[in-house]
Amino acid sequence: NLVDSVLRFTPDGKKVLFSLRTLSSSAQNLWIMDAADGANAKRLTTHLGAAIRLYGVFVSPNAQQVFYDTDRSLTSESALNQSRLSQSVRNIWSVTAAGADATALTSLKESGVALKDLK
């Protein structure tokens, strides 16, 4: 059973990105698959810990980079031990469309702080 899915098509319309969590997991993950038939589904993020949420998904014009807004902790904990920030604190992360190199692009640690530390 799937819940909390957010959809976004790549600019060429060939792929669809979606965030979801299953009833057996409290964390959302980002996936990509062929838009025409749903084939070649691949998970791009591995959030297995706390109830990590994805709030927005955006795709670069060349469809090689995916950006997402999440309350995932900024620490480099293992997927099983990841924690989440307060619901009011979110950061922008990027990952390649191949599912490699998830990187935090912002480093907010509390609400009410201006965006800073953009890489």
Side-chain angles (χ1 to χ4, degrees):
N1 293 326
L2 307 177
V3 293
D4 296 333
S5 187
V6 177
L7 299 172
R8 176 77 60 190
F9 286 89
T10 57
D12 62 9
K14 293 181 180 180
K15 301 276 186 182
V16 63
L17 290 111
F18 56 101
S19 62
L20 65 84
R21 69 180 173 95
T22 64
L23 292 177
S24 64
S25 172
S26 60
Q28 280 183 303
N29 279 288
L30 186 60
W31 291 72
I32 191 168
M33 69 180 177
D34 295 342
D37 58 7
N40 301 310
K42 178 177 180 161
R43 185 168 64 184
L44 300 181
T45 60
T46 305
H47 301 146
L48 302 175
I52 296 166
R53 304 268 320 203
L54 301 176
Y55 297 92
V57 176
F58 306 92
V59 184
S60 66
N62 66 3
Q64 297 301 306
Q65 200 72 22
V66 178
F67 303 92
Y68 55 101
D69 178 12
T70 181
D71 58 8
R72 175 184 168 183
S73 170
L74 295 170
T75 62
S76 59
E77 301 170 271
S78 71
L80 287 173
N81 295 320
Q82 287 171 351
S83 60
R84 69 186 280 211
L85 298 165
S86 162
Q87 284 183 326
S88 62
V89 181
R90 301 186 332 219
N91 282 287
I92 299 169
W93 286 70
S94 71
V95 66
T96 67
D101 303 323
T103 305
L105 299 178
T106 59
S107 58
L108 301 179
K109 295 178 178 75
E110 58 185 86
S111 62
V113 178
L115 289 178
K116 62 181 180 179
D117 299 331
L118 289 174
K119 296 179 182 178

